[in-house]
Amino acid sequence: VQESVSVDADGVLTITINNLSPETDKEVEVVLTEQRAAAIEATVLRGVMQAHNTFEEPDTVKEEQFTDYGKTERGIRFKRPACSVMVIRMTQEG
């Protein structure tokens, strides 16, 4: 598991999470310690480990909208698909 978290000047929290397992989905819960999620937008890149784009097949690996998450009392919960990279952006209640 690899992750990166940042907050931009507008207060948008961006989380990038990699699941390097080629076969196993992983449960994740993101807990916000100071605020609550107001709006959530997520995308995912997924496929088999050797998947790649070519000039002949440029859309083998492409970004897709990800909506299989649940908002919790303190954040969000979701299952990261195997062999994937996810980007989650959250605006936070002030």
Side-chain angles (χ1 to χ4, degrees), residues 72-87:
T72 67
E73 179 73 22
R74 298 179 57 201
I76 62 170
R77 179 184 304 259
F78 56 92
K79 187 179 288 188
R80 289 177 323 188
C83 195
S84 67
V85 178
M86 296 182 70
V87 175

Side-chain angles (χ1 to χ4, degrees), residues 4-68:
S4 170
V5 180
S6 63
V7 178
D8 69 15
D10 295 324
V12 176
L13 177 72
T14 299
I15 304 168
T16 304
I17 300 178
N18 301 325
N19 183 354
L20 302 180
S21 171
E23 300 173 355
T24 307
D25 296 346
K26 304 277 184 178
E27 289 282 339
V28 175
E29 181 175 6
V30 174
V31 176
L32 302 174
T33 58
E34 296 180 14
Q35 297 179 329
R36 296 177 190 230
I40 302 168
E41 176 185 302
T43 57
V44 64
L45 291 173
R46 61 179 147 194
V48 297
M49 188 65 74
Q50 293 77 20
H52 61 279
N53 293 343
T54 64
F55 288 114
E56 294 79 21
E57 296 182 36
D59 294 322
T60 300
V61 179
K62 61 183 176 182
E63 190 174 39
E64 303 171 6
Q65 184 177 13
F66 183 82
T67 59
D68 192 17

